[in-house]
Amino acid sequence: MSPPLALTQLHSTHHRVLELFAGIGGLASAWPAAEIVAAVDINQIAAKVYRQNFSHRYLIQEIESLSDSDLVRFGADFWWLSPPCQPFSRRGQRLDLEDRRCGGLLRIIEAIGHCQPEAIGLENVVGFAGSRAHTELTKQLKRHDYHVQSRELCPSEMGWPNRRRRFYLIASRVAPMPWQPLPNYNCRLEELLDRDLTPASNLAQPPMLPAEDARRYYSALDRIDLSSPALSEHGSVTACFAGSYGKTLLHAGSYLQWGAGYRRFSPREVARLLGFPDHFRMEGLAPRACWKLLGNSLSLPVMRYVLSHVPDSSHRASPNLK
């Protein structure tokens, strides 16, 4: 069972894309018609997943090590950035530019002046907005005459049953399309659950939460009961699944009532909640590793909306990617 069909009917906007901080390929999954010239990331486990799903070039390399000439040689006209969020998050202590994990982003900001791609896109946590890194990026873009627009978006605002509010930025040499009305996917959580699992089923064992943990942290858990009469007409919405899901009990994702207890959402269910199709492969990895990679990836329903505002390389507005 894959996410609704509307999420897979995309069109090319004639861009040659460089996917930086690529992870498992959120950009490539959101935009399958794009020509991705290369993906770059330092995470070797993410690279294995990426290569299970895509055939184009993936470099296991620190972004800081890319020279201006390296970036120019890729021949990309659109750079997509999903830099580490820890420098701008509460859990990462919001060290901003003082955090060593900002090194790759600073390298790309510095390179913009020399390389000047046609367009640049970025996703990060909402804490990125107003940060010193955000200020430096915006200054550099405006210094080189890019049009810049940004906004915060959450998939739940688009009728998608997951909360994952993030900051998105699009910068381009020509004015991008003004933000269009949000699409409504009208997707219910029940559509994205594993259908071969039921509380009475012996077909598979779901990742259950230990009963003692469920009792101890009951009031603090983000609990979902699909049978609750208190559900809104749009159904349940899960919390944001962080990379620590399966390791950290609280503030890392939701738990589903399952018989007399609660279970974690399976990696495949979390992948669906991010918009990944069922043919997206994560073979050979334990659930904890899958949860970590997915928690560091992107919400594809939102990505499709954001990417639909990027002007194409022939200076025409891109079509609606819904």
Side-chain angles (χ1 to χ4, degrees):
M1 175 182 57
S2 291
L5 186 61
L7 291 183
T8 62
Q9 296 175 336
L10 306 182
H11 306 283
S12 172
T13 55
H14 312 292
H15 273 296
R16 289 172 54 82
V17 179
L18 176 60
E19 189 176 9
L20 297 163
F21 312 97
I24 60 175
L27 180 282
S29 297
W31 204 358
E35 179 186 357
I36 298 180
V37 297
V40 187
D41 203 306
I42 196 60
N43 189 321
Q44 297 190 38
I45 300 176
K48 290 179 181 178
V49 172
Y50 198 109
R51 287 168 173 161
Q52 288 179 23
N53 294 281
F54 308 105
S55 60
H56 52 260
R57 187 181 182 192
Y58 192 108
L59 300 177
I60 302 175
Q61 184 172 349
E62 290 187 342
I63 306 295
E64 297 95 310
S65 69
L66 295 173
S67 67
D68 289 349
S69 57
D70 290 333
L71 291 164
V72 169
R73 276 196 294 269
F74 286 123
D77 53 61
F78 178 55
W79 294 357
W80 176 260
L81 317 176
S82 299
C85 65
Q86 294 91 338
F88 318 106
S89 66
R90 285 175 295 178
R91 289 192 177 184
Q93 301 179 1
R94 292 181 173 169
L95 296 178
D96 206 334
L97 293 180
E98 302 305 318
D99 194 309
R100 61 179 179 81
R101 288 166 289 197
C102 265
L105 176 59
L106 286 171
R107 167 80 276 268
I108 296 304
I109 292 173
E110 179 186 42
I112 289 171
H114 176 76
C115 303
Q116 298 190 25
E118 288 295 325
I120 295 171
L122 174 141
E123 177 267 3
N124 213 290
V125 294
V126 295
F128 181 83
S131 67
R132 285 181 289 151
H134 178 209
T135 299
E136 289 303 312
L137 173 61
T138 302
K139 282 182 180 178
Q140 180 77 318
L141 290 168
K142 292 187 175 179
R143 184 180 299 125
H144 294 284
D145 299 321
Y146 284 85
H147 299 265
V148 181
Q149 64 181 28
S150 61
R151 68 182 296 181
E152 294 178 14
L153 290 164
C154 181
S156 65
E157 299 169 344
M158 302 179 180
W160 195 262
N162 180 235
R163 294 189 297 273
R164 194 179 182 86
R165 181 165 290 278
R166 292 292 186 267
F167 171 85
Y168 296 87
L169 177 146
I170 293 292
S172 56
R173 301 303 239 159
V174 297
M177 180 189 298
W179 294 118
Q180 299 297 295
L182 296 178
N184 184 2
Y185 291 99
N186 195 26
C187 177
R188 297 181 67 90
L189 176 59
E190 295 90 325
E191 300 174 45
L192 305 182
L193 297 180
D194 291 330
R195 297 192 175 222
D196 57 348
L197 290 179
T198 67
S201 172
N202 293 319
L203 294 177
Q205 293 298 317
M208 296 297 296
L209 191 64
E212 175 58 31
D213 288 342
R215 285 192 297 269
R216 182 177 181 184
Y217 298 103
Y218 183 82
S219 62
L221 295 173
D222 190 278
R223 294 172 283 108
I224 291 179
D225 178 2
L226 294 178
S227 66
S228 172
L231 289 180
S232 72
E233 62 176 315
H234 302 294
S236 296
V237 177
T238 58
C240 177
F241 289 92
S244 58
Y245 192 63
K247 177 181 180 182
T248 302
L249 192 63
L250 303 180
H251 311 299
S254 296
Y255 301 87
L256 185 66
Q257 183 163 0
W258 203 250
Y262 288 88
R263 72 167 177 87
R264 294 184 173 93
F265 285 77
S266 72
R268 178 55 59 191
E269 289 170 329
V270 174
R272 291 188 194 120
L273 282 161
L274 291 175
F276 285 91
D278 278 0
H279 60 73
F280 187 85
R281 299 162 59 195
M282 300 187 73
E283 296 173 3
L285 295 180
R288 174 73 189 93
C290 293
W291 284 323
K292 184 174 182 179
L293 292 172
L294 289 164
N296 291 324
S297 193
L298 302 166
S299 174
L300 273 58
V302 181
M303 282 290 292
R304 285 170 167 81
Y305 170 79
V306 172
L307 292 170
S308 71
H309 295 79
V310 181
D312 73 15
S313 56
S314 60
H315 294 182
R316 297 189 307 270
S318 61
N320 191 324
L321 296 189
K322 182 182 174 185

PDB file of all heavy atoms in Angstrom, residues 15 18 84 116 130 150 176 201 205 218 222 229-230 260 262 269 276 298:
ATOM      1  N   HIS A  15      15.508  20.928 -14.689  1.00  0.00           N
ATOM      2  CA  HIS A  15      16.620  21.275 -13.825  1.00  0.00           C
ATOM      3  C   HIS A  15      17.621  20.137 -13.734  1.00  0.00           C
ATOM      4  O   HIS A  15      17.252  18.962 -13.717  1.00  0.00           O
ATOM      5  CB  HIS A  15      16.128  21.606 -12.410  1.00  0.00           C
ATOM      6  CG  HIS A  15      15.728  23.031 -12.234  1.00  0.00           C
ATOM      7  ND1 HIS A  15      16.618  24.068 -12.356  1.00  0.00           N
ATOM      8  CD2 HIS A  15      14.544  23.598 -11.945  1.00  0.00           C
ATOM      9  CE1 HIS A  15      15.995  25.217 -12.144  1.00  0.00           C
ATOM     10  NE2 HIS A  15      14.715  24.950 -11.900  1.00  0.00           N
ATOM     11  N   LEU A  18      21.631  19.248  -7.887  1.00  0.00           N
ATOM     12  CA  LEU A  18      22.658  18.764  -6.971  1.00  0.00           C
ATOM     13  C   LEU A  18      22.004  18.625  -5.596  1.00  0.00           C
ATOM     14  O   LEU A  18      21.559  19.619  -5.016  1.00  0.00           O
ATOM     15  CB  LEU A  18      23.839  19.735  -6.912  1.00  0.00           C
ATOM     16  CG  LEU A  18      24.953  19.394  -5.913  1.00  0.00           C
ATOM     17  CD1 LEU A  18      25.581  18.037  -6.236  1.00  0.00           C
ATOM     18  CD2 LEU A  18      26.014  20.491  -5.902  1.00  0.00           C
ATOM     19  N   PRO A  84      22.157  19.747   8.548  1.00  0.00           N
ATOM     20  CA  PRO A  84      21.800  19.272   9.888  1.00  0.00           C
ATOM     21  C   PRO A  84      20.984  20.307  10.658  1.00  0.00           C
ATOM     22  O   PRO A  84      21.269  21.511  10.606  1.00  0.00           O
ATOM     23  CB  PRO A  84      23.163  19.029  10.552  1.00  0.00           C
ATOM     24  CG  PRO A  84      24.087  18.750   9.410  1.00  0.00           C
ATOM     25  CD  PRO A  84      23.609  19.618   8.287  1.00  0.00           C
ATOM     26  N   GLN A 116      27.053  30.549  -8.296  1.00  0.00           N
ATOM     27  CA  GLN A 116      25.806  31.174  -8.706  1.00  0.00           C
ATOM     28  C   GLN A 116      24.884  30.255  -9.522  1.00  0.00           C
ATOM     29  O   GLN A 116      24.623  30.500 -10.704  1.00  0.00           O
ATOM     30  CB  GLN A 116      26.088  32.465  -9.469  1.00  0.00           C
ATOM     31  CG  GLN A 116      26.823  33.500  -8.623  1.00  0.00           C
ATOM     32  CD  GLN A 116      26.912  34.864  -9.263  1.00  0.00           C
ATOM     33  OE1 GLN A 116      26.084  35.219 -10.101  1.00  0.00           O
ATOM     34  NE2 GLN A 116      27.905  35.640  -8.878  1.00  0.00           N
ATOM     35  N   GLY A 130      15.554  33.181  11.309  1.00  0.00           N
ATOM     36  CA  GLY A 130      16.055  34.191  12.219  1.00  0.00           C
ATOM     37  C   GLY A 130      17.394  33.865  12.837  1.00  0.00           C
ATOM     38  O   GLY A 130      17.949  34.688  13.585  1.00  0.00           O
ATOM     39  N   SER A 150      10.320  32.487   1.497  1.00  0.00           N
ATOM     40  CA  SER A 150      10.359  31.403   2.465  1.00  0.00           C
ATOM     41  C   SER A 150       9.047  31.352   3.224  1.00  0.00           C
ATOM     42  O   SER A 150       8.279  32.322   3.244  1.00  0.00           O
ATOM     43  CB  SER A 150      11.526  31.594   3.444  1.00  0.00           C
ATOM     44  OG  SER A 150      11.371  32.806   4.168  1.00  0.00           O
ATOM     45  N   PRO A 176      10.449  33.648  -8.368  1.00  0.00           N
ATOM     46  CA  PRO A 176       9.684  32.391  -8.305  1.00  0.00           C
ATOM     47  C   PRO A 176       8.191  32.665  -8.312  1.00  0.00           C
ATOM     48  O   PRO A 176       7.737  33.794  -8.101  1.00  0.00           O
ATOM     49  CB  PRO A 176      10.126  31.788  -6.963  1.00  0.00           C
ATOM     50  CG  PRO A 176      10.525  32.965  -6.136  1.00  0.00           C
ATOM     51  CD  PRO A 176      11.082  33.978  -7.095  1.00  0.00           C
ATOM     52  N   SER A 201      -3.787 -10.481  15.325  1.00  0.00           N
ATOM     53  CA  SER A 201      -3.079 -11.192  14.261  1.00  0.00           C
ATOM     54  C   SER A 201      -1.801 -11.844  14.773  1.00  0.00           C
ATOM     55  O   SER A 201      -1.079 -11.297  15.597  1.00  0.00           O
ATOM     56  CB  SER A 201      -2.728 -10.225  13.125  1.00  0.00           C
ATOM     57  OG  SER A 201      -1.895 -10.859  12.181  1.00  0.00           O
ATOM     58  N   GLN A 205       4.744  -9.532  14.408  1.00  0.00           N
ATOM     59  CA  GLN A 205       4.795  -8.937  15.732  1.00  0.00           C
ATOM     60  C   GLN A 205       5.129  -7.457  15.606  1.00  0.00           C
ATOM     61  O   GLN A 205       6.231  -7.096  15.195  1.00  0.00           O
ATOM     62  CB  GLN A 205       5.860  -9.649  16.586  1.00  0.00           C
ATOM     63  CG  GLN A 205       5.509 -11.088  16.918  1.00  0.00           C
ATOM     64  CD  GLN A 205       4.225 -11.181  17.734  1.00  0.00           C
ATOM     65  OE1 GLN A 205       4.007 -10.416  18.659  1.00  0.00           O
ATOM     66  NE2 GLN A 205       3.376 -12.133  17.368  1.00  0.00           N
ATOM     67  N   TYR A 218       2.438   7.384  30.589  1.00  0.00           N
ATOM     68  CA  TYR A 218       1.158   7.409  29.895  1.00  0.00           C
ATOM     69  C   TYR A 218       0.701   8.822  29.540  1.00  0.00           C
ATOM     70  O   TYR A 218       0.325   9.104  28.404  1.00  0.00           O
ATOM     71  CB  TYR A 218       0.100   6.724  30.766  1.00  0.00           C
ATOM     72  CG  TYR A 218      -1.264   6.623  30.121  1.00  0.00           C
ATOM     73  CD1 TYR A 218      -1.541   5.611  29.215  1.00  0.00           C
ATOM     74  CD2 TYR A 218      -2.259   7.551  30.409  1.00  0.00           C
ATOM     75  CE1 TYR A 218      -2.784   5.504  28.617  1.00  0.00           C
ATOM     76  CE2 TYR A 218      -3.508   7.465  29.817  1.00  0.00           C
ATOM     77  CZ  TYR A 218      -3.770   6.439  28.921  1.00  0.00           C
ATOM     78  OH  TYR A 218      -4.998   6.351  28.323  1.00  0.00           O
ATOM     79  N   ASP A 222       2.531  10.676  23.160  1.00  0.00           N
ATOM     80  CA  ASP A 222       1.604  11.086  22.115  1.00  0.00           C
ATOM     81  C   ASP A 222       0.866   9.826  21.664  1.00  0.00           C
ATOM     82  O   ASP A 222       1.358   9.058  20.844  1.00  0.00           O
ATOM     83  CB  ASP A 222       2.348  11.734  20.942  1.00  0.00           C
ATOM     84  CG  ASP A 222       1.392  12.389  19.964  1.00  0.00           C
ATOM     85  OD1 ASP A 222       0.840  11.666  19.103  1.00  0.00           O
ATOM     86  OD2 ASP A 222       1.181  13.594  20.083  1.00  0.00           O
ATOM     87  N   PRO A 229     -14.050   8.202  19.894  1.00  0.00           N
ATOM     88  CA  PRO A 229     -15.125   9.021  19.315  1.00  0.00           C
ATOM     89  C   PRO A 229     -14.769  10.500  19.268  1.00  0.00           C
ATOM     90  O   PRO A 229     -15.470  11.285  18.650  1.00  0.00           O
ATOM     91  CB  PRO A 229     -16.306   8.773  20.271  1.00  0.00           C
ATOM     92  CG  PRO A 229     -15.661   8.415  21.572  1.00  0.00           C
ATOM     93  CD  PRO A 229     -14.415   7.651  21.208  1.00  0.00           C
ATOM     94  N   ALA A 230     -13.657  10.861  19.925  1.00  0.00           N
ATOM     95  CA  ALA A 230     -13.250  12.272  19.960  1.00  0.00           C
ATOM     96  C   ALA A 230     -12.482  12.690  18.719  1.00  0.00           C
ATOM     97  O   ALA A 230     -12.114  13.851  18.576  1.00  0.00           O
ATOM     98  CB  ALA A 230     -12.401  12.537  21.203  1.00  0.00           C
ATOM     99  N   ALA A 260      -4.557  -4.041  24.436  1.00  0.00           N
ATOM    100  CA  ALA A 260      -4.472  -3.447  25.768  1.00  0.00           C
ATOM    101  C   ALA A 260      -3.225  -2.589  25.940  1.00  0.00           C
ATOM    102  O   ALA A 260      -3.021  -1.990  26.996  1.00  0.00           O
ATOM    103  CB  ALA A 260      -4.482  -4.551  26.826  1.00  0.00           C
ATOM    104  N   TYR A 262       0.285  -0.370  23.702  1.00  0.00           N
ATOM    105  CA  TYR A 262       0.620   0.594  22.657  1.00  0.00           C
ATOM    106  C   TYR A 262       1.815   0.076  21.872  1.00  0.00           C
ATOM    107  O   TYR A 262       2.709  -0.577  22.427  1.00  0.00           O
ATOM    108  CB  TYR A 262       0.970   1.962  23.265  1.00  0.00           C
ATOM    109  CG  TYR A 262      -0.241   2.671  23.821  1.00  0.00           C
ATOM    110  CD1 TYR A 262      -0.654   2.451  25.128  1.00  0.00           C
ATOM    111  CD2 TYR A 262      -0.997   3.526  23.023  1.00  0.00           C
ATOM    112  CE1 TYR A 262      -1.786   3.069  25.638  1.00  0.00           C
ATOM    113  CE2 TYR A 262      -2.122   4.151  23.518  1.00  0.00           C
ATOM    114  CZ  TYR A 262      -2.514   3.918  24.822  1.00  0.00           C
ATOM    115  OH  TYR A 262      -3.637   4.527  25.307  1.00  0.00           O
ATOM    116  N   GLU A 269       5.492   2.227   8.053  1.00  0.00           N
ATOM    117  CA  GLU A 269       4.425   3.176   8.336  1.00  0.00           C
ATOM    118  C   GLU A 269       4.970   4.596   8.475  1.00  0.00           C
ATOM    119  O   GLU A 269       4.368   5.549   7.976  1.00  0.00           O
ATOM    120  CB  GLU A 269       3.681   2.764   9.610  1.00  0.00           C
ATOM    121  CG  GLU A 269       2.830   1.516   9.422  1.00  0.00           C
ATOM    122  CD  GLU A 269       2.299   0.977  10.736  1.00  0.00           C
ATOM    123  OE1 GLU A 269       2.985   1.135  11.778  1.00  0.00           O
ATOM    124  OE2 GLU A 269       1.206   0.382  10.722  1.00  0.00           O
ATOM    125  N   PHE A 276       6.840   8.488   1.437  1.00  0.00           N
ATOM    126  CA  PHE A 276       7.617   7.562   0.620  1.00  0.00           C
ATOM    127  C   PHE A 276       6.729   6.415   0.141  1.00  0.00           C
ATOM    128  O   PHE A 276       5.933   5.879   0.910  1.00  0.00           O
ATOM    129  CB  PHE A 276       8.792   6.993   1.419  1.00  0.00           C
ATOM    130  CG  PHE A 276       9.925   7.947   1.624  1.00  0.00           C
ATOM    131  CD1 PHE A 276       9.962   8.766   2.746  1.00  0.00           C
ATOM    132  CD2 PHE A 276      10.960   8.037   0.710  1.00  0.00           C
ATOM    133  CE1 PHE A 276      10.999   9.655   2.952  1.00  0.00           C
ATOM    134  CE2 PHE A 276      12.011   8.921   0.899  1.00  0.00           C
ATOM    135  CZ  PHE A 276      12.028   9.740   2.032  1.00  0.00           C
ATOM    136  N   LEU A 298      12.792  13.992   4.774  1.00  0.00           N
ATOM    137  CA  LEU A 298      11.903  15.084   4.403  1.00  0.00           C
ATOM    138  C   LEU A 298      10.454  14.618   4.293  1.00  0.00           C
ATOM    139  O   LEU A 298      10.190  13.437   4.057  1.00  0.00           O
ATOM    140  CB  LEU A 298      12.322  15.663   3.041  1.00  0.00           C
ATOM    141  CG  LEU A 298      13.749  16.190   2.935  1.00  0.00           C
ATOM    142  CD1 LEU A 298      14.119  16.396   1.469  1.00  0.00           C
ATOM    143  CD2 LEU A 298      13.915  17.472   3.712  1.00  0.00           C
TER     144      LEU A 298
END
